[in-house]
Amino acid sequence: MIIASNFKTNHTRASTKAYMDTLSKFVEKEAIKDDVLVFPTATSLDSFACHDNLRVGVQNAYPVEKGSFTGEIGLEQIDEFGIKTILIGHSERRHILGESQEDIAKKFAFFAEAGFEIVYCVGEPKEVREEGIEAVMTYNLSQFEGIDTNYDNLIIAYEPVWAIGTGLSASNEQIEETLSELKKHVDKPLLYGGSVKEVNTKEILSIKHCEGVLVGTASWDVDSFCEMIRISKALS
Ligand code: PGA
């Protein structure tokens, strides 16, 4: 299983350090075998002393080594911390920050070339979900345009836009059906994301084809995130 935390625009440099200290100790003490990923804000990145299967990634970066791209970070800034994991295609970047599929594909190609572990997000908005599974799949598959789905170090996160940060997770049936359809097209580990919390972690991780979760809100409290990791461990 892969249990991932997306901090989004939360936590400071100091609170991220405290979070990572607690999480590292937990992973070590509980001898966690699952992969645990944490995506802090760019200002909180550091060379955290992590256990092997606890990795820090970037939420975003510009597909360039370095250069004149105001407000962005590139490979040089990420390399400084030995970070080799990146989140690409998150719905907030697509829908709020306006990244196009073309921008996303360029970013994917650049970081794949650099050998990064890529957590690639897809997910449909509410009006598409309401049209049924065929529309959902057409939409989700269009988000693979320009993406090398055979890339070795690739993890897919299915995150319906309407379930992100709303407290309303997709139903188990919706998750299972969508993941099964995705699996036919992309034979990579599939995560679910969208209002995952302690109370639904067990049932979501038990869904066929679900190989982990990408958690926002409920993961910002380190004890809550550790509890989700504990639930995953108990299932293995
Ligand atoms: P959420 O966010 O857990 O707050 O719904 C998930 C995500 O955006 O990755």
Side-chain angles (χ1 to χ4, degrees), residues 116-184:
F116 273 57
E117 172 182 45
I118 298 176
V119 178
Y120 185 73
C121 307
V122 297
E124 79 288 349
K126 192 160 184 281
E127 61 276 14
V128 174
R129 170 53 71 181
E130 281 163 358
E131 284 176 46
I133 187 67
E134 230 171 271
V136 166
M137 287 314 295
T138 304
Y139 189 95
N140 283 321
L141 293 179
S142 75
Q143 295 191 323
F144 286 105
E145 212 170 284
I147 303 298
D148 174 12
T149 53
N150 292 317
Y151 177 58
D152 271 350
N153 217 350
L154 173 60
I155 297 162
I156 306 296
Y158 167 59
E159 299 202 300
V161 180
W162 48 275
I164 294 178
T166 58
L168 182 78
S169 155
S171 71
N172 295 352
E173 293 71 28
Q174 286 169 327
I175 299 172
E176 179 164 349
E177 185 178 38
T178 314
L179 293 186
S180 311
E181 287 300 318
L182 279 172
K183 197 76 182 176
K184 290 181 193 162

Side-chain angles (χ1 to χ4, degrees), residues 1-185:
M1 290 287 175
I2 299 163
I3 312 295
S5 166
N6 176 7
F7 278 17
K8 308 190 181 188
T9 318
N10 295 280
H11 277 299
T12 61
R13 189 163 176 76
S15 68
T16 300
K17 189 179 179 311
Y19 184 109
M20 290 306 298
D21 282 349
T22 305
L23 183 59
S24 285
K25 285 187 192 123
F26 172 82
V27 166
E28 194 158 344
K29 182 163 164 276
E30 298 287 322
I32 298 300
K33 300 276 184 296
D34 288 330
D35 286 312
V36 179
L37 307 180
V38 179
F39 297 91
T41 67
T43 58
S44 305
L45 298 176
D46 212 333
S47 310
F48 295 103
C50 283
H51 213 253
D52 262 4
N53 48 345
L54 168 57
R55 295 187 290 281
V56 169
V58 289
Q59 293 176 23
N60 179 47
Y62 202 69
V64 74
E65 170 85 31
K66 60 181 177 176
S68 300
F69 303 95
T70 302
E72 298 288 325
I73 59 169
L75 193 56
E76 188 178 75
Q77 288 74 42
I78 302 170
D79 273 350
E80 184 177 14
F81 304 117
I83 290 171
K84 283 300 234 181
T85 300
I86 187 168
L87 197 61
I88 296 181
H90 190 277
S91 84
E92 285 151 14
R93 297 216 55 88
R94 292 178 188 269
H95 302 292
I96 303 176
L97 284 312
E99 273 184 26
S100 68
Q101 186 58 31
E102 201 185 338
D103 297 331
I104 291 167
K106 268 191 209 146
K107 195 176 290 191
F108 187 100
F110 181 88
F111 286 100
E113 179 66 31
F116 273 57
E117 172 182 45
I118 298 176
V119 178
Y120 185 73
C121 307
V122 297
E124 79 288 349
K126 192 160 184 281
E127 61 276 14
V128 174
R129 170 53 71 181
E130 281 163 358
E131 284 176 46
I133 187 67
E134 230 171 271
V136 166
M137 287 314 295
T138 304
Y139 189 95
N140 283 321
L141 293 179
S142 75
Q143 295 191 323
F144 286 105
E145 212 170 284
I147 303 298
D148 174 12
T149 53
N150 292 317
Y151 177 58
D152 271 350
N153 217 350
L154 173 60
I155 297 162
I156 306 296
Y158 167 59
E159 299 202 300
V161 180
W162 48 275
I164 294 178
T166 58
L168 182 78
S169 155
S171 71
N172 295 352
E173 293 71 28
Q174 286 169 327
I175 299 172
E176 179 164 349
E177 185 178 38
T178 314
L179 293 186
S180 311
E181 287 300 318
L182 279 172
K183 197 76 182 176
K184 290 181 193 162
H185 298 273

